[in-house]
Amino acid sequence: MTDCDNLIHACSDYVLNEIKSIRENSANTAILEHKSDVSQFNKDLIEYNWKPLEDIQISDFNKDLLTDLTLKKVINDILVTESEPNANPSETQLLHKLELTAYVLDLCFHSRTFRKDRIAWTTGYFDLLGLTMNLLSWPIDISKFWVYAETRIEWFKLQNFADEAEYDGVSQLISYKPPLSDKIRFWNDLLRVVQYNSALNTPQHYIMKHKLEQFISDLLPINEES
């Protein structure tokens, strides 16, 4: 591995261990249904003063990029790497993984003001949601995680506002621009597959299809042309 690969690996191990500790010590036992508070995360984790970076000189721009790559690897480690080969996790094991994933996404949100680019955090936030959806099976596992997306809908709509106090509740997201453009295309393709594939005509598929359609509808402003 290159030095960059080693650094990302060290950072992801550090962040994952911190996330596991937060989950174990948290009084919030329903993280999927209830937003975490920034106070649940230690100061160094939120401000990107991660131990693997203590003796490394890195530009603010590269630190933003490193952050995104690290958080993606953490989610991959949670949902894929830690799973036993060819094994289906139990309900308890799956819930554990989904809760850890929720904390990773919440970390991305709560740490947004400590990025060099205080707007680009939104792209990272949507990318983490998209990655989570790609790694979970449709529709059962995704539906178990989906309460996260529903309870954080205002966070996803926040977009250009690093300060929640400045946000007036009106979405400024645009379907053909980042951070939504590539996600909308993928989600529309997914919805078409579900609609036209007779093998997917089950109640679970249509319930999740409705939830995804509702989420997209809630994300976009009412005057969005698409």
Side-chain angles (χ1 to χ4, degrees):
M1 290 190 294
T2 65
D3 289 342
C4 182
D5 290 334
N6 284 323
L7 181 59
I8 292 172
H9 183 81
C11 287
S12 62
D13 283 347
Y14 169 79
V15 172
L16 181 53
N17 287 332
E18 291 292 316
I19 291 294
K20 288 180 176 179
S21 177
I22 291 169
R23 180 189 176 276
E24 291 172 3
N25 299 320
S26 176
N28 183 0
T29 57
I31 183 63
L32 292 170
E33 294 86 354
H34 302 289
K35 301 173 184 175
S36 65
D37 187 86
V38 66
S39 62
Q40 294 179 251
F41 298 82
N42 70 59
K43 186 172 182 288
D44 286 341
L45 186 62
I46 288 289
E47 296 183 5
Y48 302 120
N49 297 320
W50 298 346
K51 287 183 179 179
L53 301 177
E54 285 179 347
D55 301 319
I56 295 177
Q57 296 295 323
I58 184 171
S59 69
D60 290 331
F61 173 80
N62 286 333
K63 184 175 283 191
D64 281 356
L65 178 60
L66 176 68
T67 297
D68 289 331
L69 293 174
T70 296
L71 296 184
K72 287 178 182 178
K73 186 177 187 309
V74 173
I75 288 183
N76 186 78
D77 288 347
I78 291 170
L79 297 178
V80 177
T81 307
E82 292 193 344
S83 299
E84 295 181 9
N86 303 318
N88 293 319
S90 67
E91 288 292 314
T92 301
Q93 291 171 326
L94 177 60
L95 179 60
H96 174 77
K97 292 174 180 291
L98 297 182
E99 289 175 347
L100 290 176
T101 300
Y103 275 112
V104 177
L105 269 84
D106 279 12
L107 170 62
C108 179
F109 176 81
H110 289 310
S111 61
R112 67 196 185 282
T113 58
F114 295 99
R115 292 192 178 222
K116 176 63 176 178
D117 187 341
R118 297 179 66 189
I119 295 176
W121 71 270
T122 316
T123 299
Y125 196 44
F126 273 97
D127 283 348
L128 293 179
L129 175 66
L131 175 61
T132 301
M133 292 176 65
N134 289 342
L135 296 178
L136 293 173
S137 64
W138 173 283
I140 304 300
D141 290 354
I142 289 181
S143 66
K144 292 174 182 175
F145 179 78
W146 202 248
V147 65
Y148 178 92
E150 295 170 335
T151 54
R152 272 70 163 188
I153 185 67
E154 294 303 320
W155 286 3
F156 283 102
K157 290 163 60 178
L158 197 61
Q159 196 192 13
N160 295 333
F161 298 94
D163 185 354
E164 287 184 87
E166 299 175 358
Y167 176 56
D168 60 5
V170 178
S171 173
Q172 296 185 7
L173 291 167
I174 300 175
S175 63
Y176 54 85
K177 292 184 178 180
L180 266 189
S181 51
D182 60 329
K183 301 297 180 299
I184 289 291
R185 285 194 295 271
F186 176 78
W187 291 340
N188 280 335
D189 289 343
L190 177 60
L191 291 169
R192 279 192 289 270
V193 169
V194 175
Q195 181 175 353
Y196 295 115
N197 190 330
S198 60
L200 304 180
N201 291 340
T202 68
Q204 292 91 343
H205 284 283
Y206 278 104
I207 289 172
M208 189 58 226
K209 177 177 179 290
H210 170 75
K211 288 181 177 181
L212 179 54
E213 289 171 336
Q214 181 67 51
F215 179 70
I216 296 172
S217 177
D218 289 343
L219 282 179
L220 296 172
I222 195 169
N223 60 346
E224 223 287 332
E225 293 181 0
S226 65

